Amino acid sequence: VEPCTCPDPSPSGQVVKKHFALMRKRLTRYFRKQGIEIGCLWFLEFQVRDAPHLHLILWGEGVRQCDMSHMRQTFAQAWSEIVNHQNVLEREKHLNAGTSLEWMRKEHFGYAAKYASKMEQKEVPSYFKDVGRFWGLFGCSRPKPIETIDYLTREELIGIK
């Protein structure tokens, strides 16, 4: 799911995280009804207009067999209901453009590295309070750090160009 955008710049990270917690429940429920347990890696960014913006990478056995059109409609409706903009016209705009959904083009997390490294979008607007974390996981265990040390011989080092 990429991305979920709040309709207006929000004065509080707590509001954004509350919205995200509700969306997380909807996503989990949607997939569980289909017998799919999902994992998710998410990132928070700020758009040029200072609106908070979330990127989610979802995975789980069977996710790719889901109907993309139905997921787009379901998740857009869910996000629009969660954010619940007071202005009806803005709510409608948000329903039509508040979420985007696509399959990962390559089966790796280079996408995640791209969004994690966009430091200009991690700058918190001065009025925004309680931003909290900029990334997280749900529905899966946290990765364990690994350390790999490769020792090369002198001959191998000379052969590296």
Side-chain angles (χ1 to χ4, degrees):
V1 176
E2 186 264 297
C4 295
T5 303
C6 293
D8 296 313
S10 175
S12 167
Q14 291 174 347
V15 171
V16 173
K17 298 296 171 60
K18 179 182 174 187
H19 288 169
F20 180 52
L22 293 169
M23 186 64 175
R24 171 183 163 170
K25 287 179 183 177
R26 299 260 190 118
L27 289 167
T28 302
R29 193 175 321 130
Y30 176 88
F31 286 108
R32 277 195 181 142
K33 283 182 181 179
Q34 298 181 58
I36 300 170
E37 293 295 323
I38 59 166
C40 177
L41 173 62
W42 61 267
F43 294 94
L44 171 66
E45 298 177 340
F46 291 91
Q47 294 180 319
V48 173
R49 64 184 180 98
D50 290 343
H53 182 77
L54 293 159
H55 290 269
L56 288 70
I57 300 174
L58 302 173
W59 64 87
E61 195 166 326
V63 169
R64 282 206 179 255
Q65 283 69 49
C66 295
D67 180 325
M68 178 65 86
S69 177
H70 186 258
M71 286 192 300
R72 281 187 176 120
Q73 181 182 1
T74 302
F75 299 156
Q77 182 68 41
W79 188 247
S80 179
E81 290 170 3
I82 289 166
V83 173
N84 195 24
H85 198 287
Q86 299 302 314
N87 181 309
V88 176
L89 295 175
E90 288 296 319
R91 193 176 322 135
E92 185 67 26
K93 278 180 16 186
H94 197 69
L95 176 63
N96 295 324
T99 61
S100 174
L101 186 66
E102 61 184 87
W103 297 122
M104 286 178 68
R105 291 179 193 95
K106 296 181 181 176
E107 296 283 330
H108 64 75
F109 283 87
Y111 175 89
K114 173 185 164 187
Y115 285 100
S117 65
K118 291 167 65 176
M119 296 313 294
E120 69 280 2
Q121 290 188 330
K122 305 299 185 278
E123 293 177 20
V124 180
S126 60
Y127 64 85
F128 197 89
K129 305 296 178 216
D130 304 317
V131 68
R133 294 185 305 151
F134 280 87
W135 70 275
L137 294 164
F138 71 81
C140 59
S141 57
R142 297 202 179 273
K144 294 180 173 73
I146 60 170
E147 184 176 327
T148 304
I149 300 173
D150 291 326
Y151 295 98
L152 301 176
T153 66
R154 183 177 190 282
E155 291 76 25
E156 289 171 321
L157 284 172
I158 292 170
I160 297 174
K161 296 184 180 174

